[in-house]
Amino acid sequence: MAAFWHQRGRRTENGGLGSVIDGLGSVFDVLLANARLVLGVSGAAVLAIATLAVKRLIDRATSPRDEGDPKAEQKSLEESWQDLALIKTTPKTPKKQRREDLSEPLLSPARPLVPGEAHDPRGCSAPLGAPQVKSSPLRCLTLQEKLLSHSSQLEVPEIQASLIPQLARSISTQLQNFLRSKCPELPFGRLFLRGALLDGLEVLAADHIHLMLPVVLDAGLWSLISGEDTVVRNPQHWMIKRIDLGYFPRGCSPWDRFIVGRYLSSNVLNETLHKLLVASINWPAIGSLLGCVIHPVVASRELKLEVKHDQVELSITLFPVVEMEDKVLLAVPPEGLVENLWLESFYRAEVSRVKELDAGDSGARQLCLRILNGVCRSQPSLHKLGGSPVTHVILHLSDTDSDWAEESLADRFQQVLEELVAYLEKGVLPSYFNPKINLFSGLLEEEIDEMGFVLYKAMSEPEVLLK
């Protein structure tokens, strides 16, 4: 370096263009000498080629030429273009990849312009020649992934899952105490709660729950008659007949006051309980005690309470229930002139069977049922299809297809849709526990057609039901 500065000083003293050129030449020499240390072998090679070309241009610019020789001038120009071309075609060394660059996503190739494609004038167009940067498209999810993702969105809010059962049990205790004090002669059993929330099958919102009121009958005074043997010809309904009136006359059973034509009338029992709920119970006082507002629904045929709390709103439906001869009968008479019928409920058997099957093979039946219940809840036209009908389809399908692992959830989901469409086309869904019972018997023909149409469209694209 000292020699370089000494030489530079000597040439500066001489002055003129030659001094400047000599100085530039010295700078190039120093750069070439140190390029290998700074740029590496490949970088030094590139710099050497570029420097050589520049030095040739400078030498030709300062060297004397024959003014009368036109070929020399043409040759000088050709050599200059060659040197410029040499600089332009110098290969570029690849940039050393940094560690942080490895995590950056690669740019997808630009989509070619389709002839006739409309151009959006509102879009921000890049300058001509500028690289077009296009974000990579999202990965297309499979139906299996969409179902698992959708199931995580069906969870009931924690505040509802914890507060509603507690609130319903408190109301149940108050109602039980009232019935014992008001109607001590009627042997009601202990009230208990039932519903999808308590069984882990509730979805989206826990806004309703069932309150079961056991009606305890003496088996020696009552017997069951199937609905098939009555004028309704419906095997899902039953009649409870008072027997042995010759030996045990009326009045021997506390429930004789609800007899109509020798049959225990579900309609008369409901009317009596409805009057008690509406006119006899001090619900404002009970609501104040429990920190909520309770209103009995007067206009409903059902025994229903509307509960409003600061954090939740709840609907409680009361069902008198009779358990005889392995049957669970609810006081839910069909609309019409017949008022002595009791509806057979399979809910307890449905939930028990589904859980038993899942426990046996670690299956995803409950998960599939929860997703389908969520679909029926979110689709107004499918409301009446949720719950029991879907459960019975899954149970039927479990008898023919044993692969219910979570990995097969998408296949089973589509299969359930296909089975539902097939049953709706026939207008008949046989009960899993009694094939004589048609679970679609309470639906109108227009309702069946609408549900079938919605599910038929969804068979080719099941994802539309998850939106």
Side-chain angles (χ1 to χ4, degrees):
M1 292 296 289
F4 166 70
W5 288 111
H6 175 73
Q7 184 71 11
R8 180 180 181 277
R10 185 170 57 81
R11 289 184 179 179
T12 303
E13 291 176 359
N14 293 335
L17 180 60
S19 300
V20 175
I21 294 173
D22 291 340
L24 290 175
S26 301
V27 171
F28 292 148
D29 292 337
V30 172
L31 289 175
L32 290 175
N34 294 276
R36 184 172 183 177
L37 296 175
V38 177
L39 303 176
V41 177
S42 59
V46 174
L47 182 60
I49 294 174
T51 305
L52 178 60
V54 174
K55 289 183 67 177
R56 286 182 183 177
L57 291 175
I58 295 174
D59 290 341
R60 281 194 292 272
T62 56
S63 61
R65 76 171 180 271
D66 297 333
E67 295 181 359
D69 188 1
K71 292 185 178 180
E73 183 177 359
Q74 182 178 358
K75 182 180 180 181
S76 177
L77 290 174
E78 291 177 355
E79 290 175 348
S80 299
W81 283 111
Q82 291 174 2
D83 294 336
L84 289 175
L86 180 64
I87 297 174
K88 182 178 278 190
T89 58
T90 301
K92 296 182 180 180
T93 58
K95 184 179 71 171
K96 187 176 181 180
Q97 197 170 24
R98 298 176 299 171
R99 183 183 299 271
E100 55 268 20
D101 293 339
L102 298 177
S103 61
E104 296 180 0
L106 297 177
L107 296 178
S108 60
R111 184 174 62 89
L113 184 63
V114 179
E117 182 178 359
H119 175 70
D120 187 0
R122 297 173 297 177
C124 180
S125 59
L128 185 62
Q132 298 292 330
V133 179
K134 187 177 181 180
S135 59
S136 58
L138 295 175
R139 184 172 65 91
C140 183
L141 297 178
T142 63
L143 176 60
Q144 175 81 8
E145 293 169 328
K146 291 180 180 179
L147 287 172
L148 293 176
S149 175
H150 184 72
S151 67
S152 63
Q153 303 172 11
L154 299 176
E155 296 293 336
V156 176
E158 185 177 353
I159 184 63
Q160 294 187 15
S162 59
L163 180 58
I164 284 181
Q166 178 183 352
L167 190 58
R169 289 189 180 96
S170 299
I171 295 174
S172 171
T173 300
Q174 296 296 324
L175 182 57
Q176 185 89 64
N177 294 336
F178 171 81
L179 291 175
R180 286 177 179 174
S181 62
K182 184 71 173 179
C183 309
E185 74 282 0
L186 296 178
F188 287 113
R190 185 173 184 83
L191 285 160
F192 62 92
L193 304 181
R194 177 168 291 174
L197 172 64
L198 303 176
D199 296 310
L201 301 177
E202 186 63 277
V203 293
L204 299 176
D207 55 2
H208 66 280
I209 202 164
H210 295 164
L211 189 56
M212 316 305 290
L213 176 61
V215 176
V216 182
L217 299 178
D218 185 348
L221 300 178
W222 305 90
S223 66
L224 299 183
I225 298 178
S226 172
E228 285 185 292
D229 301 328
T230 66
V231 293
V232 295
R233 301 296 180 186
N234 188 336
Q236 192 173 1
H237 286 88
W238 293 77
M239 301 183 75
I240 304 176
K241 185 177 181 180
R242 178 69 157 83
I243 60 176
D244 293 335
L245 285 174
Y247 294 97
F248 304 97
R250 298 190 86 163
C252 293
S253 172
W255 302 106
D256 286 345
R257 56 188 285 193
F258 302 104
I259 287 179
V260 175
R262 295 187 64 178
Y263 297 97
L264 182 62
S265 174
S266 55
N267 193 41
V268 174
L269 179 59
N270 278 335
E271 289 177 353
T272 302
L273 291 174
H274 189 274
K275 292 176 182 178
L276 292 176
L277 291 178
V278 172
S280 301
I281 302 179
N282 190 353
W283 290 116
I286 295 177
S288 177
L289 179 65
L290 301 179
C292 61
V293 178
I294 306 174
H295 292 293
V297 181
V298 179
S300 175
R301 294 180 68 247
E302 298 178 318
L303 306 174
K304 185 174 292 187
L305 301 173
E306 298 291 345
V307 182
K308 292 185 178 181
H309 189 273
D310 290 340
Q311 296 175 299
V312 296
E313 291 188 5
L314 173 65
S315 175
I316 299 178
T317 304
L318 179 67
F319 289 102
V321 55
V322 171
E323 297 191 35
M324 287 184 63
E325 302 176 10
D326 298 328
K327 302 288 190 299
V328 179
L329 307 178
L330 304 181
V332 184
E335 296 184 7
L337 299 177
V338 182
E339 58 180 20
N340 298 334
L341 296 177
W342 294 69
L343 177 69
E344 183 174 5
S345 171
F346 298 103
Y347 179 80
R348 185 168 61 189
E350 293 165 4
V351 174
S352 176
R353 182 58 177 163
V354 169
K355 291 186 176 181
E356 178 185 355
L357 290 172
D358 273 354
D361 58 10
S362 301
R365 296 171 185 82
Q366 295 176 76
L367 178 58
C368 186
L369 180 58
R370 291 181 69 251
I371 294 175
L372 287 165
N373 282 341
V375 168
C376 293
R377 186 184 180 104
S378 61
Q379 299 275 345
S381 59
L382 301 179
H383 279 180
K384 293 186 177 181
L385 200 59
S388 186
V390 172
T391 306
H392 283 252
V393 172
I394 290 177
L395 291 176
H396 283 304
L397 195 57
S398 296
D399 288 343
T400 58
D401 199 314
S402 59
D403 184 12
W404 280 89
E406 187 174 296
E407 293 77 13
S408 304
L409 176 62
D411 294 334
R412 299 291 80 78
F413 181 82
Q414 286 186 295
Q415 214 169 352
V416 172
L417 295 182
E418 294 171 2
E419 292 293 314
L420 279 170
V421 171
Y423 287 128
L424 287 168
E425 285 179 347
K426 299 176 182 178
V428 176
L429 172 58
S431 168
Y432 179 79
F433 302 100
N434 185 355
K436 295 180 180 180
I437 296 175
N438 176 19
L439 298 180
F440 288 162
S441 61
L443 298 177
L444 300 176
E445 186 176 351
E446 294 79 8
E447 295 173 332
I448 292 178
D449 291 342
E450 185 177 6
M451 289 188 291
F453 179 70
V454 171
L455 294 178
Y456 180 78
K457 290 194 303 181
M459 285 174 56
S460 59
E461 192 178 358
E463 294 86 351
V464 297
L465 297 176
L466 307 179
K467 297 179 181 178

